[in-house]
Amino acid sequence: MNTDSNPVQFTAPTLPAWHDGGNLTALVTPLQDVAGSLLLSAALPAGVSRARLAGRYFLARCVEPSPWARAHDWTLYRRRPLFVAGWRPATAEAAQVERWLLTSAARGDAGVHWLAARPEGAAVNLIGPLGNGFVLPPRARHLAIVSEPARVAALLPLLHEMLDRGGRTVILLQGSGAIPPALRDLLPFAAEVQQVAADDGWQERLQDALGWADVAATALPASALPEVLQAVRTVRLRVERDFVQALVDVQLVCGYGACHACLTPLGNGRWTRACVHGPVFDLADLGR
């Protein structure tokens, strides 16, 4: 693309900021590849909603943040979802800035590749947080997290919420080999972590984890959902509401239910839009 005709000199912002329409500018720094997922540190303006963070997401505009690029560069026009992996409040030294940890498992995606190549403190336009996240029942004390290494960072806020209330957490990862050091460093020491290959007793370990837990959360590929349903039925005879919540594996594009790219089948034969009614669903709604 010829950019010689760009007449505007763009100066990157020095602080994150809100804009008219509800979107915001974040200053991001790619941190590392964690088991195939991109981890980003993001400085956001104070006042972003922090309700039910696990499973909620921002939509990032993956194009240079100049007025000319926003109007003319359509090479990466579609926003990409970034899930919340953590949050820290503003400090006395930076009262208007909050520190967030964001993650994306779609490392083969062109937009995520663009984000991974951003320099430290680069400006990225975000919308969010969007969607509905995980909810811990008030009396729950044993949490089973069932995921794969590239997706588990999106469940970290739920894990920390359970530990903060004095509960216990088991993390069951579907994968082979040793747990990557970058991922192990990201997980709290208080959580028990197991990794099991799909063909090496996965279903038995899954049943053990669900039998121990009084609440569970999953973030797995769509093809793995039948295995979770089977394990729940084996352990509890039926799929009970408020036991397992699932972060569904769908495309999150517009965030407002307009494009229908995220249509998700329900167990009653109907369909729903995951970007607004999810992307976290009760497993009882997804399968019977």
Side-chain angles (χ1 to χ4, degrees):
M1 178 178 295
N2 182 12
T3 60
D4 294 340
S5 60
N6 183 356
V8 178
Q9 295 298 319
F10 175 73
T11 301
T14 57
L15 288 174
W18 289 100
H19 304 296
D20 293 340
N23 61 346
L24 58 93
T25 291
L27 306 183
V28 304
T29 299
L31 294 179
Q32 58 185 331
D33 183 300
V34 179
S37 64
L38 171 64
L39 200 64
L40 291 161
S41 172
L44 271 61
V48 177
S49 170
R50 300 189 301 275
R52 297 167 58 176
L53 288 180
R56 301 190 72 192
Y57 63 98
F58 291 87
L59 287 176
R61 178 188 286 138
C62 300
V63 66
E64 297 297 333
S66 68
W68 185 92
R70 289 199 298 266
H72 297 89
D73 187 356
W74 290 88
T75 57
L76 293 171
Y77 64 93
R78 177 170 60 85
R79 289 179 180 264
R80 269 64 174 189
L82 296 174
F83 288 91
V84 178
W87 167 83
R88 286 187 296 170
T91 64
E93 293 76 17
Q96 299 304 313
V97 178
E98 297 176 351
R99 297 290 174 178
W100 292 65
L101 200 61
L102 306 177
T103 182
S104 175
R107 289 308 305 270
D109 178 84
V112 177
H113 179 76
W114 181 90
L115 288 168
R118 294 308 88 204
E120 180 179 354
V124 174
N125 185 273
L126 301 179
I127 299 172
L130 302 169
N132 294 310
F134 290 92
V135 179
L136 280 181
R139 297 184 179 181
R141 290 297 181 270
H142 290 176
L143 168 66
I145 287 180
V146 182
S147 184
E148 60 179 11
R151 300 172 191 257
V152 71
L155 304 183
L156 286 178
L158 191 70
L159 186 158
H160 286 290
E161 183 181 349
M162 176 57 84
L163 294 178
D164 288 345
R165 67 166 61 174
R168 298 174 59 192
T169 302
V170 166
I171 302 173
L172 181 63
L173 300 175
Q174 188 176 70
S176 58
I179 297 174
L183 176 57
R184 187 170 288 280
D185 292 344
L186 191 64
L187 300 175
F189 181 76
E192 179 184 345
V193 185
Q194 306 173 19
Q195 180 164 269
V196 182
D199 57 352
D200 189 23
W202 167 257
Q203 186 64 214
E204 291 77 9
R205 291 287 189 91
L206 179 58
Q207 292 175 20
D208 289 343
L210 294 177
W212 168 84
D214 50 27
V215 65
T218 72
L220 291 164
S223 59
L225 185 62
E227 293 181 338
V228 178
L229 286 165
Q230 177 184 339
V232 172
R233 293 187 182 106
T234 299
V235 171
R236 296 209 167 197
L237 301 182
R238 61 191 181 92
V239 182
E240 298 174 305
R241 185 167 295 279
D242 298 326
F243 176 49
V244 180
Q245 298 167 68
L247 176 61
V248 295
D249 180 21
V250 295
Q251 293 189 65
L252 299 169
V253 179
C254 73
Y256 298 102
C259 69
H260 289 190
C262 65
L263 284 178
T264 299
L266 300 176
N268 60 9
R270 298 182 178 180
W271 295 72
T272 191
R273 294 165 293 178
C275 67
V276 291
H277 300 137
V280 175
F281 291 92
D282 195 299
L283 193 66
D285 292 327
L286 298 177
R288 297 293 181 182

